Amino acid sequence: MPNSEIQQEDVQQSLREVIALLEAERYVELREFLNEIHPADVAYMLEALPLAQRLEVWDLVKAERDGEILLEVSDSVRESLIASMDTAELRAAAGQLDTDEIADIAPDLPEHVVRDLLESLDAQNRARLQSALSYDEESVGALMDFDMVTIREDISLEVVLRYLRRFDELPDHTDALFVVDRDDHFKGILPLDRLLLNNPETEVATLMEREVVSFEPADPAQTAAQAFERYDLVSAPVVDSENKLVGRVTVNNVMDFIREESGTDILNLAGLSEEEDLFASAWKSGRNRWLWLSLNLFTAFIASRVIGAFEGAIVKLVALATLMPIVASLAGNTGNQTVALIVRALALGQINAGNVLRLFSKEIKVGLLNGTLWGTVGGLFAYLLYGSIDLALVMASAIILNLLVAALSGVFIPIALKRFGRDPAMGSSVLLTALTDSMGFFIFLGLATIFLF
């Protein structure tokens, strides 16, 4: 079994043990057990427990680990944990974290706690926290941290090594040292392998890399994610408009962003307006689903009126009622496949003004190919059921036309949402299903009215 599967099974086994200890009310053993588990695994367990059990486990976690665990849990679960903590507990939990980590959970903290934290920090860290809080959550500034090692270019490697020995440990994911001048202008990086493998008398300027992938705080976080994937980066500098080093982005920050974005896209495709705690109250969960359900109801009424307009045809030939869901279903599936591809391509920055028309052309061809294939199959199915060649031709034609509608809609809807500044994943599936249902019924019943009566 691969290591990742073994680890997942270990976590699942730990979760079962936690539940068993909870139910047996063996709290001393449970506390000891929890204190041996990695904060990320504790976070996973909290997310998998109903609210009452979650809060019981949360009360048993060592206070000095609260901050680490709050960082790891999802936003919706963090909200429930923070709601159970008093002001002193929240201050203590946040006090365990670095400045950039405090910025990650600050939006979920009460305002008075954030104010207290700002007042407790020294001038440099206060400025850093205020700066981090000012950035959009989808920007590089929201991802960056301030824990990094800087050096000058006019010193030898021996001096650098002596300087590093003063640290108890290096910041996580340090694969290179950042080279700056006396005014903190970014000059380049010194990879650690060059530091270790070259003559200690060599100057940093001789070995440093000057052409480096860097970002500005306002850059989209998605841009950083793409660069880390493309160039296999471990860390990268963040500079301001004057090229001064203000922070760094590391691969773990980027991985967290990608994971959150992936989860958000999945929810958005289903029409959920925000991340939802699996064990949230029915009221809160229901409210989260209202927006797109209301739109879905509206579009369903439109589809029903389309069917109602052809009520006479359906009464004359009941077979139409049994076959028309097939036309809509095939198109819905085809359209959702296209939407998934387009949303992914938009996220990767692969779609631009120069290739949009070519993309439409390609999807029309795919829709025509699939429509011809599956329209033939659908028409044959209709003929075998009802023995009518005319009905079979109507069925096949409707499937071809509606798959073309689905292909065009699957490209147009997410691109249009992106153009209007919306998340292309948000509700694309709901909008597409509404369109393919309405058009499918209209096309099928319209053709049937023209050619069968």
Side-chain angles (χ1 to χ4, degrees):
M1 185 183 293
N3 287 338
S4 59
E5 293 183 20
I6 293 173
Q7 291 167 357
Q8 182 64 22
E9 179 57 34
D10 288 344
V11 175
Q12 292 288 340
Q13 178 58 40
S14 295
L15 176 59
R16 289 191 286 269
E17 191 162 345
V18 165
I19 293 173
L21 291 171
L22 265 177
E23 291 175 347
E25 298 184 358
R26 293 157 59 184
Y27 297 120
V28 175
E29 290 178 57
L30 179 55
R31 183 191 297 274
E32 293 174 354
F33 182 71
L34 290 169
N35 290 337
E36 296 173 359
I37 299 175
H38 191 280
D41 292 336
V42 175
Y44 170 84
M45 294 174 192
L46 291 170
E47 291 173 354
L49 290 171
L51 184 59
Q53 290 185 318
R54 177 188 301 162
L55 295 180
E56 283 187 89
V57 170
W58 182 236
D59 286 340
L60 294 171
V61 175
K62 276 188 176 178
E64 59 265 27
R65 304 176 76 206
D66 287 358
E68 292 178 288
I69 296 169
L70 284 175
L71 269 179
E72 297 289 346
V73 295
S74 63
D75 292 346
S76 55
V77 171
R78 184 186 302 137
E79 184 180 327
S80 69
L81 299 179
I82 286 176
S84 72
M85 302 170 71
D86 60 33
T87 299
E89 289 173 325
L90 289 172
R91 286 178 189 154
Q96 303 160 14
L97 304 175
D98 294 332
T99 307
D100 56 290
E101 293 173 332
I102 295 175
D104 289 339
I105 67 169
D108 298 314
L109 296 174
E111 288 186 14
H112 69 276
V113 173
V114 176
R115 284 197 302 269
D116 290 347
L117 288 170
L118 283 168
E119 291 173 3
S120 69
L121 297 172
D122 58 45
Q124 182 185 46
N125 283 320
R126 186 183 307 119
R128 285 176 170 177
L129 179 54
Q130 290 172 328
S131 174
L133 292 174
S134 70
Y135 297 122
D136 185 272
E137 63 179 9
E138 299 290 324
S139 71
V140 167
L143 297 185
M144 72 177 179
D145 67 52
F146 307 101
D147 196 11
M148 55 193 170
V149 180
T150 61
I151 56 174
R152 304 279 186 262
E153 63 180 318
D154 57 353
I155 60 175
S156 69
L157 300 187
E158 176 59 35
V159 173
V160 175
L161 288 167
R162 286 205 305 268
Y163 171 60
L164 294 181
R165 292 188 191 106
R166 299 156 111 191
F167 290 84
D168 293 328
E169 60 182 2
L170 291 177
D172 290 340
H173 301 95
T174 296
D175 64 322
L177 309 180
F178 297 128
V179 184
V180 296
D181 64 17
R182 296 187 182 279
D183 295 316
D184 285 332
H185 291 104
F186 179 70
K187 310 297 286 185
I189 64 170
L190 176 66
L192 288 185
D193 58 346
R194 297 188 187 182
L195 170 64
L196 298 173
L197 299 177
N198 284 278
N199 190 323
E201 301 302 320
T202 308
E203 278 200 351
V204 170
T206 305
L207 297 173
M208 62 185 281
E209 291 184 14
R210 300 179 185 275
E211 297 298 323
V212 178
V213 176
S214 64
F215 307 99
E216 293 191 9
D219 289 342
Q222 188 66 47
T223 301
Q226 291 167 6
F228 268 72
E229 179 186 14
R230 185 177 304 121
Y231 303 116
D232 296 326
L233 302 176
V234 175
S235 67
V238 181
V239 298
D240 64 15
S241 57
E242 298 178 353
N243 201 42
K244 285 188 175 182
L245 184 67
V246 294
R248 67 169 185 157
V249 178
T250 60
V251 66
N252 63 317
N253 303 132
V254 171
M255 288 297 294
D256 287 344
F257 170 77
I258 292 172
R259 177 177 55 81
E260 290 172 7
E261 283 294 291
S262 298
T264 300
D265 284 348
I266 291 170
L267 295 174
N268 286 345
L269 281 169
L272 290 172
S273 58
E274 62 183 33
E275 182 183 25
E276 184 179 305
D277 180 355
L278 190 61
F279 297 102
S281 67
W283 169 255
K284 187 171 183 179
S285 294
R287 191 175 55 190
N288 184 34
R289 306 176 196 188
W290 283 352
L291 174 62
W292 290 100
L293 284 176
S294 63
L295 178 61
N296 192 227
L297 179 62
F298 174 73
T299 56
F301 275 128
I302 294 175
S304 73
R305 296 322 308 145
V306 170
I307 296 172
F310 296 96
E311 187 175 332
I314 295 173
V315 170
K316 291 178 184 177
L317 187 58
V318 178
L320 298 179
T322 65
L323 293 175
M324 64 184 182
I326 298 174
V327 178
S329 177
L330 273 174
N333 187 278
T334 296
N336 280 319
Q337 290 172 342
T338 304
V339 164
L341 291 172
I342 299 303
V343 168
R344 179 180 181 275
L346 287 169
L348 295 174
Q350 296 172 340
I351 297 177
N352 53 60
N355 61 21
V356 165
L357 290 179
R358 187 172 298 175
L359 191 58
F360 272 105
S361 175
K362 178 250 183 179
E363 288 301 322
I364 288 173
K365 292 174 184 175
V366 172
L368 188 59
L369 174 63
N370 284 336
T372 302
L373 173 61
W374 299 109
T376 301
V377 173
L380 180 60
F381 176 75
Y383 178 75
L384 292 174
L385 280 179
Y386 300 104
S388 169
I389 188 67
D390 291 339
L391 179 60
L393 289 173
V394 166
M395 180 73 172
S397 300
I399 289 175
I400 293 171
L401 291 174
N402 206 27
L403 259 63
L404 287 173
V405 170
L408 290 170
S409 303
V411 177
F412 176 77
I413 290 173
I415 289 178
L417 288 172
K418 180 78 171 179
R419 180 64 60 88
F420 287 106
R422 308 292 296 180
D423 184 346
M426 175 59 82
S428 288
S429 181
V430 176
L431 293 172
L432 178 95
T433 300
L435 189 58
T436 53
D437 281 356
S438 298
M439 289 302 297
F441 297 149
F442 178 78
I443 292 169
F444 180 58
L445 296 174
L447 290 175
T449 300
I450 294 171
F451 294 107
L452 298 181
F453 303 105

